[in-house]
Amino acid sequence: MAIRNIRKEDDEILRKKSKEVEVIDDRVKELINDMIETMHKYDGVGLAAVQVGILKRIVVIDLYDEKPILKLINPVITKTKGKQEVDEGCLSFPNKYVKVIRPEEVTVEALDENGKKIKVTGTGLLAQAIAHEVDHLNGIILTDVMIPGTMEVISPEDQATPPKKK
Ligand code: NI
């Protein structure tokens, strides 16, 4: 396990489309473990592989709600329902927060780290996190989806409890 370097907002790689994972080998499993460690280190609720410089369609999500950490390989959003206006951050945009419109409910199909097909439906924060991370896999970043003019820069010292980032 290792903490990986998080690519930040101006890094060109964040604009690239990630590629499907064809074989879930030990390198992919190591990457997933490193992504989880890196996400936790920086208090994120989600992380996409591209954010650590790897153009593979892999995301991890942990809402710190006692549920298992979601590990999604080749995720595809198959259904969305409703809308929610939410505050959103991103580990690639430290200390910046924007408002975005996300679906209220998202269904995603993916493979888990054992290559087993999984289907997850999330509402609220989970729906938001899935939508945000799948955007990353398509080279879409926070500034593309934010409601114009809503970006706020908040220094960590100003926050009693900093909002979690994706
Ligand atoms: Ni992000």
Side-chain angles (χ1 to χ4, degrees), residues 33 57 164:
N33 287 332
R57 301 185 80 80
K164 297 282 182 190

Side-chain angles (χ1 to χ4, degrees), residues 21-129:
V21 175
E22 282 170 19
V23 185
I24 303 170
D25 55 15
D26 286 348
R27 278 187 68 181
V28 166
K29 290 180 185 178
E30 189 187 347
L31 170 63
I32 291 171
N33 287 332
D34 287 356
M35 285 170 63
I36 290 168
E37 201 179 351
T38 305
M39 168 176 70
H40 287 160
K41 159 100 175 154
Y42 296 104
D43 292 325
V45 298
L47 190 70
V50 60
Q51 291 180 276
V52 294
I54 308 284
L55 287 167
K56 288 184 191 296
R57 301 185 80 80
I58 301 172
V59 311
V60 295
I61 293 171
D62 186 359
L63 302 187
Y64 306 92
D65 60 357
E66 316 283 308
K67 294 200 180 125
I69 297 169
L70 269 187
K71 304 159 194 174
L72 304 175
I73 300 171
N74 300 338
V76 176
I77 291 176
T78 53
K79 201 174 142 195
T80 63
K81 236 164 88 177
K83 278 181 187 167
Q84 52 175 338
E85 184 182 318
V86 282
D87 293 314
E88 194 160 301
C90 176
L91 291 174
S92 296
F93 290 78
N95 306 322
K96 291 184 177 167
Y97 298 92
V98 301
K99 288 195 186 299
V100 296
I101 308 283
R102 294 290 188 191
E104 171 55 32
E105 184 180 298
V106 169
T107 299
V108 67
E109 293 183 29
L111 300 176
D112 70 10
E113 75 274 31
N114 300 310
K116 195 177 144 236
K117 277 190 187 176
I118 51 170
K119 184 172 175 178
V120 178
T121 298
T123 57
L125 180 58
L126 182 55
Q128 181 189 357

Side-chain angles (χ1 to χ4, degrees), residues 9 93 96-99 142-143 146-153:
E9 51 192 297
F93 290 78
K96 291 184 177 167
Y97 298 92
V98 301
K99 288 195 186 299
L142 215 51
T143 43
M146 64 184 265
I147 299 172
T150 59
M151 183 174 278
E152 283 188 62
V153 182

